[in-house]
Amino acid sequence: MYLRLNNRANCYISFLIKFVIILNIGVVQAQKQDDNPTNANIATSASDWFDKLTSPYNLQIHGFASQAFISTSDNNFFGNTNDDGSFGFTEAGLNASLQPLSRLQLSVQVLSRRAGHGSSGIPRLDFGFADYRMFSHEANQFGIRVGRWKNPFGFYNDTRDVAFTRPSIILPQSIYFDRTRNIALSSDGVQLYGESSHSRFGSASVQFGVASPIVGNKDTESSFLGGHQEGNLTPDVSYIGRGLYETNDKRIRLAVSGIWLNMGYDPSANDVLESGAIQFAPIFFSAQYNTERWSLTSEYAIRHSKFKNFNNPVLDSLDFFGESFYFQGVYRFSPKWEGVLRYDVLFTDRKDKSGKKFAAASGRPAHSRFAKDITVGLRWNVTHAFMLRTEYHYVNGTAWLSTLDNPNTSNTRQHWNLFAIQASYRF
Amino acid sequence: MLKINSNYGCILLIFFLCFITDGWANDEYEIVTHSGVNETVLSTNSLRAIFSMHLKSWQNGEMIKVYVLPDDSPLHKKFAKEKLNVFPYQLRNAWDRLVFSGTGQAPNVVHSSNEMLSAVASTPGSIGYLEINYINDDLNVLKIK
């Protein structure tokens, strides 16, 4: 019953999109009807016509929309959540891909995300690139991607805003910071990729990109420079890469990813800061073990941050390593129901895990330098296209809270709870 | 008394065999392609690359069009486990990663074996899987080695 309804809803939505595109192309609908007078169903004939027109190019359109309700005992996360809770977390995306030649794919995705002061909901280009397959022989592929592509790191970054592909409503924040998310999402540049698989040993894939990071965002600026500054961050040439190994049964998946991110600072006329530079270099290790019922996942990251030439003794002395990891178990009770349990830890500076040195030097709370999050959640795949879920977090520490949503760090509470529910639809 | 029992036993056994082989016959399936596809034999490795949507063209350069049944269809589950050695959720996760990162496309989903038959028979470059009692001369059967 659900499935049928859902198929019908799918047909309806995909037809609607096709219909809008047809209107845009400016084709007269009636003409087709004349060609095929026996077909009384305009919807079907327009849709068929569209399929015929686009099928040589393999046009696919997909999308998703998710709405969450989040309530926190203290502190704000994705909006004003600590009073009565908030419906302020909304994600929606629409993507199209086209394969005009067997070696060429064009893909584009527009994303709207509303989550506190960091994300306003204004649609942005999430990715838009051409993928040319230079070499393809059986299970070995090699190609190039040019344009704006998703940054390949960890298991989840490539599709981090699609609720269906996440293990929980909120991704483990120690690895997938939503505070500095805009710089982590995608980059403009060139990426090479290769894939190879062996009938016994499994498959390996490698991606390597040279890119200009997307830095124009106040949340990024505030996280890196500790509050709003007069000038602007500017992108410098940066590098990103990931190697992924999977056994043929995908039981074991292992990945190593690295980013070498370079940013400059462009001071304004009366700026106290000079044109400094920031280097941010995280390395990620990811491992997953899959069975029919279980998926056990763990990721570890070590992040090097270095600041120089700002002509500010505090900023210029910053040269530290942050450390994060999580352990996560997902259990599938049935294809429709799954549970998740996770322990997620972040240390902003691994030499000052308690944050005490930082507190002594800055006067800000020690708990703003670490966060330990225990998460338990439940997911219900109502249909293939519609999903409901809920989760509870018990958090000790505030290191990954956004300073835009929590402007006064001394007002934040070290021990806090977060409860969330989410509905998500995709096609 | 003993003899009658063993006779009955034999009859029951024969009856049972008929029944289960009949069941097997219905469960048997093959990998099928459009009649225009030149390949007749495929390695498991290539089959996996095709259904994970990484291998996009046949050896002559023609585009591969992949057809699958829904994730919860018994034949899809059987195919995923037996031929690809993965669970349907793993395939779905891999396809979702491709679609929503723009690095690939999802396979086409058909909702019945009849739909599978007509889609593969009429789409050049297509590949799918089908119970043997649906297979006719309009399709090629691929051997997997």
Side-chain angles (χ1 to χ4, degrees):
Chain A
M1 167 70 187
Y2 271 125
L3 203 75
R4 267 183 114 172
L5 241 167
N6 161 40
N7 284 340
R8 212 174 297 153
N10 265 342
C11 288
Y12 181 67
I13 286 172
S14 87
F15 167 69
L16 262 183
I17 289 165
K18 289 169 178 181
F19 189 70
V20 168
I21 294 169
I22 289 166
L23 283 182
N24 284 343
I25 298 168
V27 171
V28 182
Q29 172 69 52
Q31 198 181 341
K32 174 66 194 172
Q33 264 191 299
D34 291 342
D35 293 348
N36 191 359
T38 50
N39 193 344
N41 190 338
I42 301 171
T44 317
S45 71
S47 183
D48 284 353
W49 174 84
F50 185 83
D51 286 342
K52 262 184 211 147
L53 184 80
T54 58
S55 74
Y57 307 112
N58 276 4
L59 173 73
Q60 285 193 359
I61 293 174
H62 294 277
F64 57 91
S66 314
Q67 176 62 52
F69 171 81
I70 300 178
S71 172
T72 49
S73 62
D74 306 276
N75 311 331
N76 283 321
F77 189 73
F78 292 172
N80 188 18
T81 51
N82 76 348
D83 296 328
D84 301 317
S86 157
F87 283 95
F89 182 31
T90 313
E91 301 156 295
L94 188 65
N95 82 48
S97 62
L98 206 64
Q99 217 184 320
L101 305 167
S102 63
R103 283 173 177 275
L104 180 67
Q105 180 172 329
L106 307 170
S107 308
V108 60
Q109 178 161 285
V110 174
L111 176 76
S112 158
R113 182 176 189 270
R114 201 169 58 94
H117 291 287
S119 298
S120 63
I122 296 169
R124 70 191 282 279
L125 179 69
D126 193 29
F127 59 73
F129 60 89
D131 178 333
Y132 187 73
R133 187 64 62 87
M134 294 188 279
F135 172 83
S136 174
H137 182 72
E138 293 182 354
N140 305 306
Q141 330 289 340
F142 180 73
I144 184 169
R145 299 183 178 120
V146 180
R148 174 173 294 184
W149 29 261
K150 300 294 286 183
N151 285 331
F153 75 82
F155 282 145
Y156 298 110
N157 192 61
D158 312 40
T159 59
R160 64 188 286 162
D161 296 311
V162 189
F164 276 88
T165 69
R166 295 197 296 251
S168 47
I169 299 172
I170 298 161
L171 274 175
Q173 293 293 305
S174 75
I175 305 276
Y176 303 96
F177 291 101
D178 278 309
R179 192 173 71 166
T180 52
R181 52 175 266 111
N182 286 309
I183 200 160
L185 287 178
S186 31
S187 301
D188 299 327
V190 176
Q191 183 191 118
L192 297 173
Y193 68 92
E195 295 156 4
S196 181
S197 72
H198 185 276
S199 54
R200 272 180 60 202
F201 301 120
S203 68
S205 65
V206 176
Q207 284 164 271
F208 178 77
V210 179
S212 163
I214 301 163
V215 296
N217 177 268
K218 43 182 183 173
D219 224 5
T220 312
E221 187 182 297
S222 134
S223 314
F224 278 99
L225 296 173
H228 177 71
Q229 301 295 339
E230 296 292 316
N232 292 310
L233 288 174
T234 55
D236 284 331
V237 176
S238 300
Y239 307 89
I240 184 163
R242 177 175 61 196
L244 175 72
Y245 166 80
E246 291 181 342
T247 54
N248 282 327
D249 55 10
K250 295 190 197 290
R251 216 165 249 272
I252 298 171
R253 303 176 67 221
L254 302 170
V256 181
S257 346
I259 305 175
W260 190 30
L261 179 72
N262 295 300
M263 289 177 283
Y265 179 75
D266 185 15
S268 68
N270 304 317
D271 213 320
V272 289
L273 297 178
E274 286 183 6
S275 53
I278 304 172
Q279 233 179 55
F280 180 58
I283 297 174
F284 306 85
F285 298 92
S286 316
Q288 188 169 64
Y289 182 74
N290 293 301
T291 69
E292 185 163 18
R293 302 241 173 221
W294 281 102
S295 289
L296 304 174
T297 311
S298 180
E299 296 195 276
Y300 170 89
I302 184 153
R303 299 176 306 275
H304 183 205
S305 305
K306 193 177 166 152
F307 293 64
K308 59 182 182 190
N309 304 337
F310 281 93
N311 191 27
N312 174 311
V314 178
L315 276 181
D316 289 338
S317 68
L318 291 178
D319 183 356
F320 61 97
F321 286 87
E323 193 171 37
S324 349
F325 61 88
Y326 69 85
F327 298 100
Q328 170 185 285
V330 169
Y331 185 77
R332 282 169 286 276
F333 300 98
S334 74
K336 290 212 177 289
W337 288 91
E338 60 185 61
V340 62
L341 183 65
R342 183 172 61 221
Y343 182 56
D344 178 41
V345 176
L346 163 66
F347 299 113
T348 307
D349 182 351
R350 71 194 295 228
K351 286 195 176 146
D352 181 26
K353 289 184 176 171
S354 67
K356 280 179 185 155
K357 281 187 220 160
F358 172 83
S362 68
R364 294 196 206 169
H367 61 70
S368 68
R369 303 292 276 181
F370 62 84
K372 298 165 191 173
D373 176 358
I374 298 170
T375 303
V376 54
L378 191 64
R379 168 174 174 164
W380 178 24
N381 297 311
V382 185
T383 70
H384 168 70
F386 185 65
M387 180 254 291
L388 290 172
R389 67 176 162 201
T390 181
E391 68 197 38
Y392 169 80
H393 297 245
Y394 170 74
V395 194
N396 172 13
T398 57
W400 42 254
L401 284 180
S402 164
T403 47
L404 295 178
D405 287 335
N406 303 275
N408 191 347
T409 50
S410 51
N411 287 345
T412 55
R413 287 280 287 270
Q414 178 178 350
H415 296 274
W416 56 292
N417 305 289
L418 183 151
F419 168 78
I421 51 173
Q422 183 180 49
S424 186
Y425 175 77
R426 70 160 165 197
F427 62 91
Chain B
M1 188 65 189
L2 203 78
K3 196 159 189 193
I4 294 168
N5 261 351
S6 72
N7 276 347
Y8 276 134
C10 279
I11 291 166
L12 261 175
L13 188 68
I14 289 165
F15 202 76
F16 182 66
L17 278 176
C18 287
F19 184 75
I20 60 166
T21 44
D22 188 47
W24 284 346
N26 279 336
D27 279 359
E28 271 182 47
Y29 63 95
E30 296 282 358
I31 313 298
V32 292
T33 63
H34 183 258
S35 55
V37 171
N38 294 329
E39 273 84 348
T40 53
V41 184
L42 212 60
S43 67
T44 306
N45 221 15
S46 298
L47 186 74
R48 210 176 267 129
I50 289 173
F51 279 91
S52 62
M53 305 300 287
H54 286 282
L55 178 54
K56 296 178 177 183
S57 53
W58 298 107
Q59 271 178 15
N60 66 0
E62 187 180 18
M63 215 181 281
I64 301 177
K65 299 201 171 174
V66 180
Y67 286 87
V68 294
L69 289 164
D71 292 3
D72 55 357
S73 124
L75 181 57
H76 177 74
K77 284 185 203 167
K78 210 168 142 62
F79 163 77
K81 278 185 198 174
E82 292 177 359
K83 302 289 181 187
L84 307 179
N85 197 17
V86 295
F87 299 108
Y89 83 86
Q90 293 170 306
L91 280 176
R92 177 56 58 191
N93 287 353
W95 297 335
D96 282 348
R97 282 195 291 271
L98 293 177
V99 166
F100 292 108
S101 67
T103 55
Q105 290 193 317
N108 303 292
V109 178
V110 289
H111 293 93
S112 68
S113 294
N114 274 321
E115 252 189 81
M116 179 69 89
L117 172 64
S118 62
V120 177
S122 64
T123 314
S126 61
I127 183 169
Y129 45 80
L130 206 51
E131 291 100 339
I132 51 173
N133 51 336
Y134 281 89
I135 297 175
N136 62 28
D137 293 344
D138 296 343
L139 306 169
N140 285 352
V141 171
L142 263 188
K143 279 201 181 65
I144 307 301
K145 59 166 194 208

